Amino acid sequence: MKTKRALITGVTGQDGSYLAELLLAKGYEVFGVVRRSSTETFERIRHLERLQLVQADLFDQLSLVRVVDRLRPNEVYNLGAQSFVPTSWEQPLLTGDYTGLGVTRVLEAIRQVDPKGIRFYQASSSEMFGRVLEVPQKETTPFYPRSPYGVAKVYGHFITVNYRESFGMYAVSGILFNHESPRRGLEFVTRKVTHAVARIKHGKQEKLAIGNLEAKRDWGYAPDYVEAMWLMLQQPTPEDYVISTGETNTVRRLVEIAFETAGLDWKKYVVEDPALFRPAEVDLLVGDAGKAARQLGWKPKTSFAEMVRAMVKADLELVARADRHA
């Protein structure tokens, strides 16, 4: 049996690194798209010796066509995006081009090379629901995005539907709710908290400024969620799925568990800063992953508390290691 090939955009990110790990463990030949950049970091994928990197860019249609034509992958996972919501307010045009039009460029590359043979996964987002029109949110819930990032993700979602329906392509979207891990970027609130806890514990930081402590999110564990991505591309027919835990936690609860894990009283260190509130906050994002449970056999395996503790422990080790090498 011929070895399956997968191509991943956004391979240097949290999800890309875990997905590459999963696919390599399943015996895939895995290729990750990277672009020429002065700020690109390979920290998350450095340990993946069998991962092969190829140069292309979501801004550059021709580079994508060439890579897809040369590799002829069985599966393409589009995880590349400008994925930080606050940045989308500062750089709305870049976010629209990368997170929205970038999806079209990948789909078009597949359509030009092998529209019937290549299966495509698009990373959609719960941010598309924004000002929610029903709770919990499922695949049929109307979108009402509240940020340029959310708007761009809606475009990416519907262009995927459009290519599926117009050209008979196997193209699906996973509407993933927030998912975190020790590999999450430091700009995201979960990692901002766990990393600050580690720095405070080691005497490197005195206070943690945080935005809205009462903001609620449906937070899951990234390694669980990338398995759902893979499962979506193994089905007989292409369909879209919500992937979530179905439970919400507040930022306050995140802070409590994180500080408690390090043996600290959070109230001594945390300052709520109104300047860090979003211009337009999303409402209660909580997903109904019932369809994924029924059709994919997927359910989250890791609890919120387990995930936060794992992140704190990883950051305590990270800060300690930096100390040793200082």
Side-chain angles (χ1 to χ4, degrees):
M1 186 174 163
K2 193 178 176 187
T3 302
K4 273 192 170 183
R5 281 189 166 191
L7 179 66
I8 304 171
T9 71
V11 74
T12 60
Q14 169 189 258
D15 291 7
S17 65
Y18 282 120
L19 179 62
E21 222 167 56
L22 176 77
L23 296 176
L24 287 167
K26 289 183 180 296
Y28 278 64
E29 197 176 359
V30 182
F31 297 85
V33 171
V34 293
R35 59 197 167 94
R36 285 283 299 157
S37 168
S38 58
T39 58
E40 198 65 82
T41 172
F42 296 95
E43 195 56 44
R44 296 183 184 96
I45 57 172
R46 211 177 295 283
H47 65 293
L48 299 175
E49 292 177 7
R50 290 186 292 121
L51 173 64
Q52 301 174 65
L53 300 180
V54 292
Q55 276 199 2
D57 197 311
L58 290 180
F59 284 143
D60 184 358
Q61 178 72 55
L62 188 56
S63 70
L64 294 169
V65 172
R66 283 175 172 160
V67 163
V68 172
D69 188 38
R70 178 164 63 84
L71 298 178
R72 300 282 172 149
N74 305 93
E75 299 168 3
V76 173
Y77 296 85
N78 183 44
L79 311 184
Q82 189 301 99
S83 61
F84 190 45
V85 173
T87 296
S88 77
W89 293 103
E90 301 299 324
Q91 296 182 291
L93 298 179
L94 177 134
T95 301
D97 202 344
Y98 210 151
T99 307
L101 287 175
V103 186
T104 316
R105 294 188 187 104
V106 180
L107 283 164
E108 190 57 26
I110 294 169
R111 188 174 80 90
Q112 288 183 39
V113 173
D114 186 4
K116 299 299 183 186
I118 298 173
R119 296 189 169 199
F120 174 79
Y121 172 86
Q122 165 58 14
S124 284
S125 166
S126 60
E127 289 288 331
M128 302 189 303
F129 295 120
R131 188 173 178 179
V132 301
L133 300 179
E134 66 177 345
V135 179
Q137 296 88 51
K138 48 186 181 290
E139 292 80 8
T140 53
T141 303
F143 300 136
Y144 196 142
R146 298 272 279 169
S147 66
Y149 170 77
V151 172
K153 279 292 186 183
V154 170
Y155 175 91
H157 182 87
F158 276 124
I159 201 69
T160 301
V161 173
N162 194 255
Y163 270 67
R164 177 169 74 219
E165 295 179 351
S166 300
F167 305 118
M169 291 169 59
Y170 193 111
V172 304
S173 285
I175 307 171
L176 271 56
F177 280 65
N178 292 64
H179 46 287
E180 319 295 317
S181 76
R183 297 182 196 170
R184 192 56 144 154
L186 288 169
E187 69 273 23
F188 291 89
V189 68
T190 46
R191 185 74 196 292
K192 177 183 177 181
V193 168
T194 63
H195 194 250
V197 166
R199 285 177 55 79
I200 290 168
K201 182 72 174 178
H202 283 279
K204 303 287 185 186
Q205 188 172 324
E206 293 182 1
K207 296 288 181 184
L208 167 62
I210 205 82
N212 183 7
L213 281 168
E214 302 315 315
K216 292 180 178 178
R217 291 291 183 274
D218 183 332
W219 274 303
Y221 189 45
D224 293 349
Y225 282 39
V226 298
E227 185 179 13
M229 298 177 187
W230 174 76
L231 284 167
M232 284 179 218
L233 293 193
Q234 313 313 309
Q235 305 309 305
T237 55
E239 295 184 40
D240 304 325
Y241 297 87
V242 162
I243 302 298
S244 65
T245 69
E247 298 174 4
T248 58
N249 284 279
T250 60
V251 174
R252 184 185 298 273
R253 184 69 185 129
L254 160 69
V255 166
E256 287 171 355
I257 296 170
F259 277 88
E260 181 188 296
T261 303
L264 300 171
D265 178 0
W266 72 273
K267 291 176 182 173
K268 294 180 180 176
Y269 305 100
V270 175
V271 180
E272 195 170 28
D273 183 356
L276 297 174
F277 283 41
R278 286 185 180 186
E281 182 57 85
V282 296
D283 296 325
L284 184 55
L285 287 175
V286 53
D288 175 358
K291 180 181 174 183
R294 291 188 303 273
Q295 294 183 207
L296 305 178
W298 181 88
K299 285 185 179 176
K301 299 170 186 167
T302 311
S303 74
F304 177 71
E306 287 169 338
M307 178 190 74
V308 176
R309 290 188 194 110
M311 291 175 69
V312 171
K313 287 170 185 171
D315 275 328
L316 284 167
E317 173 55 33
L318 187 71
V319 175
R321 194 163 59 240
D323 257 3
R324 290 195 297 270
H325 293 151

